[in-house]
Amino acid sequence: MSQRKKSVSASQNKTQRRSQASLNEDEEASFSQVSSSQVQRARENFTSDQIDRKVAEVVQFILIKDQKKMPIRRADIVKHVIKDYKLLYTDIINRVCRTFEQVFGLKLVETDPKNHIYILINKLDPIQGEPVSMRPVNPKKGLLFVILSVIFMKGGVIKENLVWNSLKKLRVDPGEKHDEFGDVKKVVTDEFVRQKYLEYVKIPHTEPVEYEFRWGLRSEKEVSKLKMLEFVGELFEQDPQSWTQQFREASTVDSSSQRTSS
Amino acid sequence: MSDTRRRSRGSQEEPAGPSNGVGVRNRSERTGDMGDEDDVVGGPSGISEEDDDPTRRREIRSKYRDLINQVQQNREDMLNPANNKLTDVLEEANKLFVNVRQAREAALDAQLLVLATDLGKEKASQLHAEGSAFDPSAFAEHLLSFMGLNRLEDESGQDGHLEGYLPQGAWQKLANRSESCFKTAPSFHYMLGSFLAEPPPPRQRVERQRRVPSKEAKRIMPTQLKQMEESHQEATEKEVERILGCLQRYFADDSGEPISYYEFVIDPNSFSRTVENIFHTSFLIRDGLVRMFLDNDELPCIAPVEEGEIEPGGASIRHQCVISINQESWREIIDAFDIKEALIPVPEVLSQES
């Protein structure tokens, strides 16, 4: 009986995936079949003022979409802002990236080149003690930090039980409503995952089903493993280098991200 | 006929080792749920009698269960890299498996293997850690200390009951410290709203008062309005009194020296508050509580009027003047007199505006 249920949901997933894939294919077709002459003609159709305005609108759209830290889809940008200027998408998005870097000190990063999904991260490194924004930091950041650091220190993948047990020791029980975080399980497995801070993946062949946690794509781009290791070292009053494996990984990751930041 | 069947199946059973397992697995697929069938000797399943001996099988099963318990209860011990207890358990299991003929025992063997491999994986990961190990429990303890856990001394902690409680801003403190590990883009928001949002409660109270009298005669309405007017006047009066208090204090501190008018009313941080100060001070002068005059340098000064000097009704000579100030003059005065801070402190309610 359980096998029948599994096959039904599997086929549902397949149809969903197929429809999403066909959507992506249509999108891809409309983008990839654009010839350079079409683009050139499109450039001539609009005045530079109009294009400037479009760039500004896209910038504002992305800034507001980023408030909740949910990734932004190219399809949404095209549907809601770019509309008729679709052929000039590449031009516009290049200028948008430049504007973000030069005016705001932010980076527009494509986390998913296949599905064209963007996130906005800070180009500048934070200085400890200096607040990044005028608003107070969301306490959920602390919760996220705990989970990310445990995953990192434990090698990059951990079973969900380790996360729940660690949180319980911090008086955060996923089974109970927390004063500050509310439905903790939802925040961790749904909100953080949709924001791409965490990945919550089913371990195959487990009965009853078990999940494991990994770093999400946003965490890979946003978080400095070295700084995290330093803070862990402070807490333990230990030299961060004493965790040789983690230190090695933190050093290589940091230097490579600096190289690609241009 | 059954004999031949038994013999043919039996011949498949005899060779030990892997083929044994294969034969057993095939049968489990066919029979599915075992139930009481196991304890039936021989018969339709076609196993030779010695393989089907229930006591023997019970013995095997109980030994497997012992091994499983051993692994589960002594997990920490098994993980210890200093011993080979895990290997010993596996060797025991191997010995037992030689005698396994049917699915039920094999299932127990598989269960034991799952546990053992899990432990094996963790043991192997310990080998990787050339540096220090990372203990999540210790990490949690350090975090609690960082967040300022209040450990209650009189409560004796029972097993499983967590002692102490975290103070109000604990998670905020952790979030602030860990923020520097993130390169998060600051969330977009407008810097200043188009108006200063007042807290709602005062409005609600007035509305409730209004709704009740509407049922009764209209007589009540005028008294409501009067009260509102008075509250406005009260606010101004309170301010004026507060400023008088300030002035008298400074005057007393300064041993009776008159204070420069400009130094008194000007707030170098806010032009609008400067104007308010001038407005309120003018009430003091009007009421004869404060006097203003030009000093030797021809600069305006103010001083509170002494107790005996106050003449209600104003028999003393009264002069009038109009004081004006604009932003430019305001700044010039700040520069000229080198005014660093406001002598009249900012009232608490309005301290949120720029």
Side-chain angles (χ1 to χ4, degrees), chain B residues 218-266:
Chain B
K218 285 185 189 171
R219 284 181 260 143
I220 302 177
M221 281 300 283
T223 55
Q224 284 299 105
L225 289 169
K226 238 198 249 168
Q227 277 171 22
M228 278 172 68
E229 259 190 87
E230 275 173 16
S231 69
H232 275 312
Q233 280 185 5
E234 271 171 28
T236 315
E237 275 173 27
K238 271 203 195 123
E239 259 305 288
V240 171
E241 266 178 51
R242 192 178 70 93
I243 291 181
L244 178 63
C246 283
L247 181 61
Q248 285 169 337
R249 244 180 291 127
Y250 284 123
F251 194 68
D253 285 341
D254 222 358
S255 61
E257 283 284 307
I259 302 170
S260 158
Y261 176 72
Y262 290 124
E263 281 187 32
F264 184 65
V265 293
I266 299 256

Side-chain angles (χ1 to χ4, degrees), chain A residues 162-175:
Chain A
L162 187 51
V163 168
W164 305 132
N165 290 339
S166 305
L167 289 183
K168 277 199 199 122
K169 296 206 179 79
L170 297 173
R171 282 74 167 140
V172 176
D173 191 334

Side-chain angles (χ1 to χ4, degrees), chain B residues 13-306:
Chain B
E13 290 307 302
E14 257 138 42
S19 56
N20 209 2
V22 169
V24 172
R25 225 181 290 145
N26 284 337
R27 194 168 312 108
S28 71
E29 275 171 356
R30 255 176 281 141
T31 48
D33 185 50
M34 297 299 279
D36 289 302
E37 200 194 296
D38 302 335
D39 288 308
V40 174
V41 179
S45 49
I47 308 167
S48 67
E49 279 192 38
E50 57 167 49
D51 288 345
D52 209 21
D53 175 18
T55 15
R56 189 128 168 262
R57 289 174 58 209
R58 238 176 277 136
E59 212 184 293
I60 295 176
R61 287 202 297 274
S62 111
K63 284 201 183 139
Y64 266 122
R65 288 201 194 96
D66 283 343
L67 283 175
I68 290 174
N69 275 333
Q70 202 184 330
V71 172
Q72 283 177 328
Q73 304 301 330
N74 301 318
R75 191 192 164 89
E76 293 304 316
D77 203 20
M78 297 261 165
L79 279 178
N80 191 339
N83 62 44
N84 281 326
K85 288 195 180 154
L86 193 56
T87 325
D88 294 340
V89 164
L90 284 171
E91 279 175 3
E92 277 289 319
N94 270 345
K95 280 187 222 154
L96 275 179
F97 190 68
V98 168
N99 297 316
V100 166
R101 295 287 178 277
Q102 292 196 51
R104 195 163 161 186
E105 289 76 47
L108 280 173
D109 180 84
Q111 192 183 343
L112 175 62
L113 262 181
V114 168
L115 287 173
T117 44
D118 209 32
L119 275 181
K121 183 173 141 202
E122 247 198 82
K123 254 190 128 167
S125 69
Q126 280 179 356
L127 289 173
H128 280 301
E130 16 169 310
S132 315
F134 174 76
D135 179 12
S137 311
F139 185 52
E141 285 297 315
H142 291 303
L143 280 171
L144 286 171
S145 302
F146 175 82
M147 292 200 273
L149 177 77
N150 292 308
R151 293 176 204 275
L152 305 169
E153 286 177 13
D154 47 331
E155 253 183 67
S156 55
Q158 302 147 19
D159 285 54
H161 170 73
L162 298 170
E163 283 181 26
Y165 60 94
L166 283 171
Q168 195 48 305
W171 283 100
Q172 186 69 55
K173 186 175 176 195
L174 181 63
N176 290 343
R177 174 59 183 87
S178 41
E179 201 202 5
S180 59
C181 304
F182 290 82
K183 282 204 292 195
T184 318
S187 294
F188 173 82
H189 63 275
Y190 293 105
M191 283 173 67
L192 295 170
S194 52
F195 58 89
L196 177 66
E198 291 274 314
R203 257 183 250 140
Q204 282 173 11
R205 262 182 258 133
V206 173
E207 275 176 43
R208 259 183 256 132
Q209 282 176 8
R210 277 203 201 122
R211 272 189 218 127
V212 171
S214 66
K215 288 182 191 168
E216 303 190 18
K218 285 185 189 171
R219 284 181 260 143
I220 302 177
M221 281 300 283
T223 55
Q224 284 299 105
L225 289 169
K226 238 198 249 168
Q227 277 171 22
M228 278 172 68
E229 259 190 87
E230 275 173 16
S231 69
H232 275 312
Q233 280 185 5
E234 271 171 28
T236 315
E237 275 173 27
K238 271 203 195 123
E239 259 305 288
V240 171
E241 266 178 51
R242 192 178 70 93
I243 291 181
L244 178 63
C246 283
L247 181 61
Q248 285 169 337
R249 244 180 291 127
Y250 284 123
F251 194 68
D253 285 341
D254 222 358
S255 61
E257 283 284 307
I259 302 170
S260 158
Y261 176 72
Y262 290 124
E263 281 187 32
F264 184 65
V265 293
I266 299 256
D267 180 341
N269 299 318
S270 166
F271 176 68
S272 50
R273 234 193 311 286
T274 305
V275 173
E276 277 179 37
N277 291 341
I278 296 177
F279 173 68
H280 290 131
T281 317
S282 66
F283 278 96
L284 290 172
I285 300 179
R286 176 197 73 172
D287 291 337
L289 295 165
V290 158
R291 59 191 179 97
M292 191 160 125
F293 55 94
L294 296 177
D295 69 0
N296 299 334
D297 297 321
E298 303 269 313
L299 293 168
C301 290
I302 58 170
V305 168
E306 303 302 316

Side-chain angles (χ1 to χ4, degrees), chain A residues 55 121 145 211 229-230:
Chain A
V55 171
I121 61 171
F145 171 81
Y211 288 83
L229 192 60
E230 276 171 18

